[in-house]
Short mmCIF file of all heavy atoms in Angstrom, two decimals:
data_model
loop_
_atom_site.label_atom_id
_atom_site.label_comp_id
_atom_site.label_asym_id
_atom_site.label_seq_id
_atom_site.Cartn_x
_atom_site.Cartn_y
_atom_site.Cartn_z
N MET A 1 -29.55 -11.03 10.74
CA MET A 1 -29.20 -9.62 10.66
C MET A 1 -27.94 -9.31 11.48
O MET A 1 -27.01 -8.73 10.96
CB MET A 1 -30.39 -8.78 11.12
CG MET A 1 -30.15 -7.32 11.11
SD MET A 1 -30.18 -6.68 9.45
CE MET A 1 -30.44 -5.00 9.76
N ILE A 2 -27.92 -9.69 12.75
CA ILE A 2 -26.77 -9.38 13.60
C ILE A 2 -25.51 -10.07 13.11
O ILE A 2 -24.42 -9.52 13.19
CB ILE A 2 -27.06 -9.68 15.10
CG1 ILE A 2 -25.94 -9.15 16.00
CG2 ILE A 2 -27.24 -11.17 15.32
CD1 ILE A 2 -25.90 -7.68 16.15
N GLN A 3 -25.65 -11.29 12.54
CA GLN A 3 -24.48 -11.99 12.01
C GLN A 3 -23.84 -11.18 10.89
O GLN A 3 -22.61 -11.06 10.84
CB GLN A 3 -24.88 -13.37 11.47
CG GLN A 3 -25.13 -14.40 12.55
CD GLN A 3 -25.62 -15.69 11.97
OE1 GLN A 3 -26.79 -16.01 12.07
NE2 GLN A 3 -24.74 -16.43 11.34
N LYS A 4 -24.64 -10.64 10.01
CA LYS A 4 -24.11 -9.83 8.91
C LYS A 4 -23.47 -8.54 9.42
O LYS A 4 -22.42 -8.13 8.94
CB LYS A 4 -25.20 -9.52 7.90
CG LYS A 4 -25.62 -10.72 7.09
CD LYS A 4 -26.00 -10.28 5.70
CE LYS A 4 -26.43 -11.47 4.87
NZ LYS A 4 -25.33 -12.11 4.19
N GLN A 5 -24.09 -7.92 10.42
CA GLN A 5 -23.54 -6.69 10.98
C GLN A 5 -22.19 -6.95 11.64
O GLN A 5 -21.25 -6.17 11.45
CB GLN A 5 -24.51 -6.10 12.00
CG GLN A 5 -25.78 -5.55 11.37
CD GLN A 5 -26.83 -5.21 12.41
OE1 GLN A 5 -27.10 -6.01 13.31
NE2 GLN A 5 -27.42 -4.03 12.28
N VAL A 6 -22.10 -8.01 12.41
CA VAL A 6 -20.83 -8.35 13.07
C VAL A 6 -19.77 -8.63 12.01
O VAL A 6 -18.63 -8.17 12.10
CB VAL A 6 -21.00 -9.54 14.03
CG1 VAL A 6 -19.65 -10.08 14.48
CG2 VAL A 6 -21.83 -9.13 15.24
N GLY A 7 -20.14 -9.39 10.98
CA GLY A 7 -19.20 -9.69 9.91
C GLY A 7 -18.72 -8.44 9.19
O GLY A 7 -17.53 -8.30 8.90
N LEU A 8 -19.64 -7.53 8.92
CA LEU A 8 -19.26 -6.26 8.27
C LEU A 8 -18.32 -5.45 9.15
O LEU A 8 -17.37 -4.83 8.66
CB LEU A 8 -20.50 -5.44 7.94
CG LEU A 8 -21.37 -5.94 6.80
CD1 LEU A 8 -22.66 -5.14 6.72
CD2 LEU A 8 -20.61 -5.88 5.47
N ARG A 9 -18.57 -5.47 10.45
CA ARG A 9 -17.71 -4.72 11.38
C ARG A 9 -16.30 -5.31 11.43
O ARG A 9 -15.31 -4.59 11.40
CB ARG A 9 -18.34 -4.71 12.77
CG ARG A 9 -17.53 -3.98 13.81
CD ARG A 9 -17.45 -2.48 13.55
NE ARG A 9 -16.85 -1.83 14.70
CZ ARG A 9 -15.98 -0.83 14.60
NH1 ARG A 9 -15.65 -0.34 13.41
NH2 ARG A 9 -15.46 -0.30 15.68
N ILE A 10 -16.22 -6.63 11.45
CA ILE A 10 -14.91 -7.28 11.46
C ILE A 10 -14.16 -6.95 10.17
O ILE A 10 -12.98 -6.60 10.20
CB ILE A 10 -15.05 -8.80 11.66
CG1 ILE A 10 -15.53 -9.09 13.09
CG2 ILE A 10 -13.73 -9.52 11.38
CD1 ILE A 10 -15.93 -10.53 13.33
N ARG A 11 -14.85 -7.04 9.05
CA ARG A 11 -14.23 -6.70 7.76
C ARG A 11 -13.77 -5.25 7.74
O ARG A 11 -12.67 -4.93 7.27
CB ARG A 11 -15.20 -6.96 6.62
CG ARG A 11 -14.59 -6.66 5.26
CD ARG A 11 -15.53 -6.96 4.13
NE ARG A 11 -15.67 -8.41 4.02
CZ ARG A 11 -16.78 -9.01 3.62
NH1 ARG A 11 -17.84 -8.32 3.28
NH2 ARG A 11 -16.83 -10.32 3.53
N GLU A 12 -14.60 -4.35 8.26
CA GLU A 12 -14.27 -2.93 8.32
C GLU A 12 -12.98 -2.71 9.12
O GLU A 12 -12.09 -1.97 8.69
CB GLU A 12 -15.43 -2.18 8.96
CG GLU A 12 -15.20 -0.72 9.21
CD GLU A 12 -16.37 -0.08 9.95
OE1 GLU A 12 -16.54 -0.35 11.16
OE2 GLU A 12 -17.11 0.65 9.29
N ILE A 13 -12.89 -3.34 10.28
CA ILE A 13 -11.70 -3.19 11.12
C ILE A 13 -10.48 -3.77 10.43
O ILE A 13 -9.40 -3.16 10.40
CB ILE A 13 -11.92 -3.88 12.48
CG1 ILE A 13 -13.01 -3.15 13.27
CG2 ILE A 13 -10.62 -3.93 13.28
CD1 ILE A 13 -13.54 -3.95 14.45
N ARG A 14 -10.64 -4.97 9.87
CA ARG A 14 -9.51 -5.63 9.18
C ARG A 14 -8.99 -4.77 8.04
O ARG A 14 -7.78 -4.54 7.92
CB ARG A 14 -9.97 -6.99 8.65
CG ARG A 14 -8.90 -7.72 7.86
CD ARG A 14 -9.35 -9.07 7.40
NE ARG A 14 -10.46 -9.07 6.47
CZ ARG A 14 -10.38 -8.79 5.17
NH1 ARG A 14 -9.22 -8.42 4.64
NH2 ARG A 14 -11.46 -8.85 4.40
N ARG A 15 -9.90 -4.26 7.23
CA ARG A 15 -9.48 -3.45 6.08
C ARG A 15 -8.87 -2.12 6.52
O ARG A 15 -7.95 -1.61 5.88
CB ARG A 15 -10.65 -3.22 5.15
CG ARG A 15 -11.02 -4.46 4.37
CD ARG A 15 -12.15 -4.20 3.43
NE ARG A 15 -12.42 -5.37 2.58
CZ ARG A 15 -13.47 -5.48 1.79
NH1 ARG A 15 -14.36 -4.50 1.72
NH2 ARG A 15 -13.64 -6.55 1.07
N SER A 16 -9.39 -1.54 7.59
CA SER A 16 -8.85 -0.26 8.08
C SER A 16 -7.41 -0.42 8.55
O SER A 16 -6.65 0.54 8.57
CB SER A 16 -9.71 0.31 9.20
OG SER A 16 -9.51 -0.39 10.41
N ARG A 17 -7.04 -1.63 8.90
CA ARG A 17 -5.66 -1.92 9.33
C ARG A 17 -4.84 -2.52 8.20
O ARG A 17 -3.72 -2.99 8.42
CB ARG A 17 -5.68 -2.84 10.53
CG ARG A 17 -6.31 -2.15 11.74
CD ARG A 17 -6.62 -3.08 12.86
NE ARG A 17 -7.37 -2.38 13.88
CZ ARG A 17 -6.92 -2.17 15.10
NH1 ARG A 17 -5.75 -2.61 15.47
NH2 ARG A 17 -7.66 -1.52 15.97
N CYS A 18 -5.40 -2.51 6.99
CA CYS A 18 -4.72 -3.01 5.79
C CYS A 18 -4.21 -4.43 5.97
O CYS A 18 -3.08 -4.76 5.59
CB CYS A 18 -3.58 -2.07 5.39
SG CYS A 18 -4.12 -0.41 4.99
N LEU A 19 -5.05 -5.28 6.57
CA LEU A 19 -4.69 -6.68 6.79
C LEU A 19 -5.46 -7.59 5.85
O LEU A 19 -6.66 -7.39 5.64
CB LEU A 19 -5.00 -7.09 8.23
CG LEU A 19 -4.20 -6.44 9.34
CD1 LEU A 19 -4.80 -6.77 10.70
CD2 LEU A 19 -2.75 -6.89 9.28
N SER A 20 -4.78 -8.57 5.30
CA SER A 20 -5.46 -9.61 4.54
C SER A 20 -6.20 -10.50 5.54
O SER A 20 -5.91 -10.47 6.75
CB SER A 20 -4.46 -10.45 3.76
OG SER A 20 -3.64 -11.19 4.66
N GLN A 21 -7.13 -11.31 5.05
CA GLN A 21 -7.81 -12.25 5.96
C GLN A 21 -6.80 -13.18 6.59
O GLN A 21 -6.91 -13.52 7.76
CB GLN A 21 -8.87 -13.06 5.21
CG GLN A 21 -10.17 -12.36 5.04
CD GLN A 21 -11.23 -13.24 4.42
OE1 GLN A 21 -10.95 -14.32 3.91
NE2 GLN A 21 -12.45 -12.77 4.46
N GLU A 22 -5.81 -13.59 5.83
CA GLU A 22 -4.79 -14.51 6.35
C GLU A 22 -3.99 -13.86 7.49
O GLU A 22 -3.81 -14.46 8.54
CB GLU A 22 -3.87 -14.95 5.23
CG GLU A 22 -2.91 -16.04 5.64
CD GLU A 22 -2.13 -16.60 4.47
OE1 GLU A 22 -2.49 -16.37 3.31
OE2 GLU A 22 -1.14 -17.28 4.75
N ASP A 23 -3.52 -12.64 7.27
CA ASP A 23 -2.75 -11.95 8.31
C ASP A 23 -3.62 -11.66 9.53
O ASP A 23 -3.18 -11.81 10.67
CB ASP A 23 -2.17 -10.64 7.76
CG ASP A 23 -1.08 -10.88 6.74
OD1 ASP A 23 -0.49 -11.98 6.71
OD2 ASP A 23 -0.82 -9.96 5.93
N PHE A 24 -4.84 -11.24 9.29
CA PHE A 24 -5.78 -10.95 10.37
C PHE A 24 -6.05 -12.21 11.20
O PHE A 24 -6.00 -12.19 12.42
CB PHE A 24 -7.07 -10.39 9.79
CG PHE A 24 -8.13 -10.04 10.79
CD1 PHE A 24 -8.02 -8.89 11.55
CD2 PHE A 24 -9.23 -10.86 10.97
CE1 PHE A 24 -9.00 -8.55 12.47
CE2 PHE A 24 -10.22 -10.53 11.88
CZ PHE A 24 -10.10 -9.38 12.64
N SER A 25 -6.31 -13.31 10.51
CA SER A 25 -6.58 -14.58 11.17
C SER A 25 -5.42 -15.01 12.05
O SER A 25 -5.60 -15.46 13.18
CB SER A 25 -6.87 -15.67 10.15
OG SER A 25 -7.98 -15.34 9.38
N PHE A 26 -4.21 -14.86 11.52
CA PHE A 26 -3.02 -15.21 12.29
C PHE A 26 -2.90 -14.33 13.53
O PHE A 26 -2.61 -14.81 14.62
CB PHE A 26 -1.77 -15.08 11.42
CG PHE A 26 -0.50 -15.42 12.13
CD1 PHE A 26 -0.16 -16.75 12.36
CD2 PHE A 26 0.34 -14.43 12.58
CE1 PHE A 26 1.00 -17.07 13.04
CE2 PHE A 26 1.51 -14.73 13.27
CZ PHE A 26 1.84 -16.07 13.49
N GLU A 27 -3.15 -13.05 13.34
CA GLU A 27 -3.03 -12.09 14.44
C GLU A 27 -4.01 -12.39 15.58
O GLU A 27 -3.68 -12.25 16.75
CB GLU A 27 -3.26 -10.67 13.92
CG GLU A 27 -2.88 -9.59 14.88
CD GLU A 27 -2.87 -8.21 14.23
OE1 GLU A 27 -2.32 -8.08 13.13
OE2 GLU A 27 -3.43 -7.29 14.86
#
Side-chain angles (χ1 to χ4, degrees):
M1 178 75 161
I2 189 72
Q3 284 176 255
K4 288 213 180 272
Q5 291 169 313
V6 168
L8 287 172
R9 179 67 171 140
I10 291 170
R11 181 178 289 148
E12 175 184 73
I13 294 165
R14 176 178 64 78
R15 287 181 175 171
S16 75
R17 295 168 187 244
C18 299
L19 293 170
S20 67
Q21 278 185 348
E22 188 172 345
D23 291 339
F24 180 76
S25 299
F26 180 77
E27 192 169 314

